[in-house]
Amino acid sequence: MKTEISFFLNGSKVIVPVDGHHCLIDILRGPLGLTGTNEGCREGECGACTVIVDGLAVNSCLYPALEAEGKNITTIEGLQGPGNELSLIQQAFVDNGAIQCGFCTPGMIMSAKALLDSNPDPSEEDILEALLGNLCRCTGYVQIVDAVKQAADKLKDKS
Ligand code: FES
Ligand code: FES
């Protein structure tokens, strides 16, 4: 039996029927068609499925879909500008060679965004802690941390 829920997804209200056993990633990638959020382990271990719910980075593979009711949810698709230009964080990943196979990238970027939204001047330790739940099987961690540092610097310049 399905229950209809509504929430704000990348700034727009959506209404979607969900089964009780669905997790958020199931409705994002399924009926909502947003396949930028990747599914890796489905056990809360890899962070590939990270999205932002009410300002916090969460593993959408573990987040019950019914809990999304009334929330503000941002996925990687919500970061681009109106002309589909890359966000500052996405561009920093490109500039720093922080994308290899790209599987971890949406989750990494969403964790980085949640960090920078709450802490615009993070230390290296803060960045490492924020990315602790995100695994990169290509092991490009140095470039990923550099990308987050660059994004933080550019965001500071803008403000
Ligand atoms: S797919 Fe969600 S943490 Fe790995
Ligand atoms: S770039 Fe391949 S998993 Fe991170």
Side-chain angles (χ1 to χ4, degrees):
M1 158 140 176
K2 290 188 190 292
T3 306
E4 211 162 69
I5 63 167
S6 72
F7 57 93
F8 288 91
L9 178 60
N10 299 328
S12 300
K13 187 172 182 179
V14 294
I15 300 173
V16 62
V18 304
D19 281 327
H21 66 275
H22 276 159
C23 286
L24 181 54
I25 194 169
D26 300 319
I27 57 170
L28 291 175
R29 291 183 56 90
L32 294 169
L34 297 186
T35 55
T37 302
N38 283 331
E39 181 177 312
C41 65
R42 212 181 163 89
E43 292 180 348
E45 297 290 337
C46 74
C49 63
T50 304
V51 301
I52 299 177
V53 178
D54 285 352
L56 296 176
V58 306
N59 290 327
S60 61
C61 71
L62 296 182
Y63 194 92
L66 289 170
E67 293 288 317
E69 172 69 37
K71 302 281 199 309
N72 264 302
I73 297 180
T74 308
T75 68
I76 190 73
E77 289 88 351
L79 266 54
Q80 286 163 289
N84 281 342
E85 66 271 17
L86 295 180
S87 69
L88 206 145
I89 301 176
Q90 289 170 305
Q91 190 61 53
F93 271 65
V94 173
D95 293 346
N96 286 274
I99 305 167
Q100 295 181 69
C101 78
F103 188 79
C104 72
T105 308
M108 287 284 184
I109 288 176
M110 297 315 288
S111 289
K113 177 166 173 52
L115 168 69
L116 296 178
D117 284 350
S118 65
N119 175 6
D121 191 16
S123 64
E124 179 154 341
E125 204 171 62
D126 294 332
I127 296 171
L128 292 173
E129 193 179 320
L131 300 181
L132 207 56
N134 293 82
L135 303 182
C136 176
R137 61 192 179 190
C138 304
T139 69
Y141 294 105
V142 172
Q143 296 93 326
I144 289 167
V145 171
D146 285 348
V148 181
K149 283 183 193 162
Q150 179 187 303
D153 288 344
K154 290 207 166 164
L155 283 166
K156 261 184 281 170
D157 289 348
K158 263 180 79 178
S159 60

